[in-house]
Amino acid sequence: MKCKLEKLEIPAGQPFKNCKLDREKYAEILKTIITTYQKGFVLAINGKWGTGKTTFVEMWKAYLELDGLHTLYFNAWENDFISDPLVGLLGELKKMNPQEKAEAALTSVINKAGKIVLKAAPAMFRGVVKRYAGEETVDILCDGIEEGASMLRKEIDNYENQKYSLKQFREELEKYIDEACEKKPLIFIIDELDRCNPHYAVKTLERIKHLFNIPNIVFVLSIDKEQLSNSIRGYYGSDL
């Protein structure tokens, strides 16, 4: 007895050959949308669990590649063990096998990303807690305030550096996409985001919004909107 359906074969030359739901027409409509807009944006393909979203986006990926469009697929659920989704997203970029001229641009993108991922504040905060654990309350309050003020000054000093690092990251990423994709859009498919742990799901959305918001990158989220909304509500502790 089979408890799970076998993975559907997707022929490279005819991606929708084995599709019994006549969904190639929707693939064509979506392709028109992503190739019409020059600026990057996020597109959601919404459907309940088990309705075939993953199969569809895998077919669509192969369908887009027939027209020479660069596509990347990232299964967020399978990779939510990664501490920061930015690592996984950049890892997928490396799979594009760009021409030699774009390799230096990708290296620069990764270097700039390192300045964004590494944040000192949480580590410093844990150090402060560990340092003052067990001391008298008054000492904790006084010394903690002084340490907190020092941390705040460091964060303020680091504020402009962080903004500049983000600007550099976007500029280098845009340069890399232009060179690797030859001015065509990059379609980045994020699947199974609604199945991830809430923290990772929210972090992925934040990374997409704040770091990858540049021209010529189209993010396609294959999601169950209701389940993803539940995860986000659970993360923020709100029933609203």
Side-chain angles (χ1 to χ4, degrees), residues 46-93:
N46 179 43
K48 298 291 185 180
W49 286 351
T51 54
K53 296 188 300 299
T54 294
T55 300
F56 174 76
V57 295
E58 288 178 347
M59 289 179 172
W60 189 42
K61 180 179 184 297
Y63 183 80
L64 293 171
E65 289 171 348
L66 290 177
D67 282 346
L69 293 170
H70 289 269
T71 64
L72 295 174
Y73 175 85
F74 181 68
N75 189 309
W77 187 35
E78 292 181 352
N79 294 281
D80 66 356
F81 62 90
I82 303 172
S83 59
D84 192 318
L86 179 59
V87 175
L89 297 176
L90 292 177
E92 293 302 320
L93 281 180

Side-chain angles (χ1 to χ4, degrees), residues 41-187:
F41 63 97
V42 178
L43 173 71
I45 297 177
N46 179 43
K48 298 291 185 180
W49 286 351
T51 54
K53 296 188 300 299
T54 294
T55 300
F56 174 76
V57 295
E58 288 178 347
M59 289 179 172
W60 189 42
K61 180 179 184 297
Y63 183 80
L64 293 171
E65 289 171 348
L66 290 177
D67 282 346
L69 293 170
H70 289 269
T71 64
L72 295 174
Y73 175 85
F74 181 68
N75 189 309
W77 187 35
E78 292 181 352
N79 294 281
D80 66 356
F81 62 90
I82 303 172
S83 59
D84 192 318
L86 179 59
V87 175
L89 297 176
L90 292 177
E92 293 302 320
L93 281 180
K94 292 188 66 176
K95 295 180 180 179
M96 288 175 60
N97 295 321
Q99 299 176 358
E100 186 176 347
K101 66 177 182 178
E103 290 182 359
L106 177 59
T107 300
S108 183
V109 169
I110 294 174
N111 290 338
K112 297 298 185 297
K115 296 180 180 180
I116 299 170
V117 174
L118 299 177
K119 296 181 179 180
M124 286 192 294
F125 178 77
R126 287 193 296 269
V128 172
V129 173
K130 182 178 179 180
R131 178 179 177 183
Y132 295 113
E135 296 184 7
E136 295 296 330
T137 304
V138 175
D139 292 335
I140 295 175
L141 180 61
C142 294
D143 293 337
I145 290 174
E146 181 179 350
E147 189 76 8
S150 176
M151 289 171 56
L152 180 58
R153 285 193 294 270
K154 290 177 182 178
E155 285 299 297
I156 292 173
D157 291 340
N158 195 42
Y159 170 66
E160 288 299 330
N161 291 332
Q162 286 291 324
K163 284 208 308 181
Y164 184 62
S165 294
L166 178 57
K167 181 175 180 292
Q168 284 185 311
F169 174 81
R170 286 176 173 167
E171 289 175 350
E172 293 298 329
L173 182 60
E174 185 173 355
K175 176 183 176 182
Y176 171 68
I177 296 302
D178 284 345
E179 292 184 356
C181 299
E182 300 176 340
K183 304 296 183 178
K184 295 180 181 179
L186 168 66
I187 297 87

Side-chain angles (χ1 to χ4, degrees), residues 182-205:
E182 300 176 340
K183 304 296 183 178
K184 295 180 181 179
L186 168 66
I187 297 87
F188 210 137
I189 300 170
I190 309 293
D191 196 14
E192 306 277 25
L193 189 62
D194 44 75
R195 293 179 181 265
C196 297
N197 70 72
H199 173 78
Y200 190 84
V202 171
K203 195 69 175 178
T204 300
L205 293 174

